[in-house]
Amino acid sequence: GAGVSQSPRYKVAKRGQDVALRCDPISGHVSLFWYQQALGQGPEFLTYFQNEAQLDKSGLPSDRFFAERPEGSVSTLKIQRTQQEDSAVYLCASSLRRLAGDGDTQYFGPGTRLTVL
Amino acid sequence: QKEVEQDPGPLSVPEGAIVSLNCTYSNSAFQYFMWYRQYSRKGPELLMYTYSSGNKEDGRFTAQVDKSSKYISLFIRDSQPSDSATYLCAMSARGTGRRALTFGSGTRLQVQP
């Protein structure tokens, strides 16, 4: 079946612009995650949804970052007034499970590479 | 200091070699341990998933977890050029409700034909 898809794959923004990144999780997956991966680093957690509820946003670096999943499927990560330090790959992952536990596998999309000039 | 430490490499080995990749961690709450493989400009792909201490084998891959030492390893036998990628360890805690994975910084592996 289809995996996690993300769009756009590449985004170039001028400093100060707003951007919106889209994630389509695997069909039927309850949980959805956003991670940020800087060059040469591992992914870092941003936020987590269970269906439409945002249960954890502890990783969002500032109030310029906002995520939503209004119907419990597609999710959008929005970054307002982009800064150069926002340049990174933004990864979306989804999981079939509701709860942490054995077998809680997160499946990742290909990511959106954001470059802020 | 990061919660998960991983040698960034790069690690270069000849085809057919046994590869050993390692991570150490500081958070004793971590119970679930994963290894992901990430090819250039792709998302991470899950290779191995283990719970608590012990070994798990899947084909050419063996994952080991030593919770007493807070140390996890991934062994790749008979390495192939197609194994050339960045390998990320990841871990999460059980029972806290926190679903976030904590990743190492990744080790870049190059298998020379």
Side-chain angles (χ1 to χ4, degrees):
Chain A
V4 177
S5 61
Q6 294 185 244
S7 60
R9 290 294 315 278
Y10 303 91
K11 177 70 179 177
V12 178
K14 292 183 179 178
R15 189 163 55 94
Q17 281 186 329
D18 298 348
V19 297
L21 312 180
R22 177 187 168 106
C23 172
D24 284 82
I26 295 172
S27 177
H29 278 201
V30 170
S31 300
L32 185 146
F33 306 82
W34 284 98
Y35 291 83
Q36 179 190 60
Q37 187 173 23
L39 188 64
Q41 300 297 315
E44 292 197 356
F45 171 77
L46 294 176
T47 188
Y48 151 57
F49 290 85
Q50 187 178 105
N51 295 309
E52 68 278 5
Q54 189 174 20
L55 298 187
D56 186 349
K57 53 183 180 179
S58 62
L60 296 176
S62 77
D63 58 8
R64 296 186 296 104
F65 287 72
F66 172 77
E68 60 183 4
R69 192 186 186 199
E71 296 178 358
S73 55
V74 171
S75 177
T76 304
L77 177 66
K78 298 179 180 178
I79 309 174
Q80 297 176 324
R81 304 181 303 282
T82 52
Q83 304 294 314
Q84 284 188 320
E85 62 263 28
D86 300 334
S87 295
V89 175
Y90 290 85
L91 293 163
C92 176
S94 70
S95 169
L96 182 61
R97 295 176 66 99
R98 295 179 181 276
L99 301 174
D102 200 8
D104 179 24
T105 301
Q106 295 185 22
Y107 297 90
F108 283 81
T112 295
R113 183 176 298 270
L114 173 65
T115 302
V116 181
L117 302 177
Chain B
Q1 187 178 0
K2 292 184 177 181
E3 278 189 295
V4 179
E5 298 282 353
Q6 185 175 7
D7 187 332
L11 181 62
S12 183
V13 301
E15 183 175 355
I18 296 174
V19 175
S20 173
L21 304 167
N22 312 291
C23 288
T24 59
Y25 64 95
S26 57
N27 188 346
S28 57
F30 288 143
Q31 296 273 1
Y32 300 97
F33 304 92
M34 290 138 272
W35 286 95
Y36 282 83
R37 178 175 61 195
Q38 187 173 28
Y39 290 112
S40 181
R41 300 191 180 263
K42 302 286 187 183
E45 168 196 14
L46 182 68
L47 280 178
M48 299 288 284
Y49 185 109
T50 52
Y51 168 61
S52 197
S53 287
N55 293 0
K56 185 174 182 179
E57 187 173 321
D58 185 1
R60 297 185 295 112
F61 299 92
T62 299
Q64 288 185 351
V65 175
D66 182 350
K67 290 193 67 185
S68 63
S69 301
K70 296 190 176 65
Y71 187 88
I72 70 170
S73 301
L74 178 71
F75 297 94
I76 307 174
R77 291 182 297 281
D78 187 25
S79 56
Q80 303 295 310
S82 58
D83 295 328
S84 298
T86 295
Y87 289 79
L88 297 156
C89 63
M91 41 201 83
S92 64
R94 182 185 189 188
T96 63
R98 182 163 164 78
R99 303 284 301 283
L101 296 179
T102 302
F103 283 85
S105 57
T107 299
R108 192 155 57 92
L109 172 67
Q110 185 73 35
V111 181
Q112 305 292 344

